[in-house]
Every structure is written in structure tokens, then in C-alpha cells.
């Protein structure tokens, strides 16, 4: 086998592996029972699938600029995917969009309670401020400006 044949074979393997991982990520999003399980399908195989596909593409490229263009794609994908997964997990946890399973370590419970207390206190302060503003405002002389004055 020549060098190009081996390179083509490696490209096929990388692209097929990446396509399979991306497919399983999409299938996991549809089939997993709860939000926390879906987060794993959203992040891990999807990022690895993209990496494999980009490596397969890079193997076929002879231009260094094209390969240099693929590197930031990989970097940004690996920087943003975990952050997006964490934000989705926190949002789902706060809104209770997960099956009621016993969490062994609930690291967010205190933080969520603190945030909810802060929101309630802010709403109470806003209600008091609105009531104070309404009490300080002078009453209009008449409700209808066209009504005759007595």
C-alpha cells in the first residue's frame, strides 16, 4: 500500500469515528431519561466527534494555513462545550428539570437557597419602594381635569 492509501484509510477511520460519536451524542439527547444524563451526551461524545472529524480533514490537507485554521476551532470547542454544559446543568438544577434521584453530594443546594433568598429580598425591597413612592406622591386635585371645581 502506498502512503496515500494509508492516509486515506486513516482519514476514513477518523471521519467515521467522529460521525459515530456525533450520532451517538444526538441519539443520547433524544433517548436519555433526564436532563443530567443528557448533559453527558451533549458534551463528551459531541466534542470528541468533532475532534476526530477535524483530524480526518487535517490529514487530507496539504496547506498549512488550512490546518492552522482548524486549530482554533478545536480550541474554542473544547473551551466552550464544558462551560455550556455547566450552565445548562445549573439552570436545570435550579428549575428542577431532573428526575428526583438522590444526589450523593449536592454542592449547589446552599448556593441556590442563597440566590433565592436574595431574589425574594430584592422583590420585597422593590415592593416597599413602590409603596413609599405612591405614599409620597400628592393626590391630584380632581380625577377629571374637565370636571367643574367646587
Amino acid at each position: 500500500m502506498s502512503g496515500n492509501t494509508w492516509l486515506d484509510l486513516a482519514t476514513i477511520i477518523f471521519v467515521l469515528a467522529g460521525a459515530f460519536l456525533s450520532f451517538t451524542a444526538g441519539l443520547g439527547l433524544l433517548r436519555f431519561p433526564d436532563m443530567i444524563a443528557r448533559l453527558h451526551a451533549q458534551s463528551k461524545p459531541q466534542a470528541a466527534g468533532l475532534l476526530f472529524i477535524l483530524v480526518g480533514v487535517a490529514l487530507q490537507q496539504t496547506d498549512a494555513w488550512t490546518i492552522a485554521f482548524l486549530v482554533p476551532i478545536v480550541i474554542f470547542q473544547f473551551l466552550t462545550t464544558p462551560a455550556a454544559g455547566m450552565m445548562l446543568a445549573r439552570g436545570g438544577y435550579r428549575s428542577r428539570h431532573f428526575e428526583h434521584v438522590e444526589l450523593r453530594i449536592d454542592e449547589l443546594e446552599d448556593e441556590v437557597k442563597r440566590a433565592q433568598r436574595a431574589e425574594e429580598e430584592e422583590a420585597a425591597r422593590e415592593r416597599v419602594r413602590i409603596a413609599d413612592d405612591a405614599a409620597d406622591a400628592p393626590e391630584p386635585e380632581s380625577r377629571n381635569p374637565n370636571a367643574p371645581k367646587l
Side-chain angles (χ1 to χ4, degrees), residues 122-136:
E122 180 63 31
R125 281 193 296 269
E126 185 66 23
R127 283 193 300 270
V128 168
R129 188 186 63 77
I130 290 172
D132 288 344
D133 288 346
D136 292 341

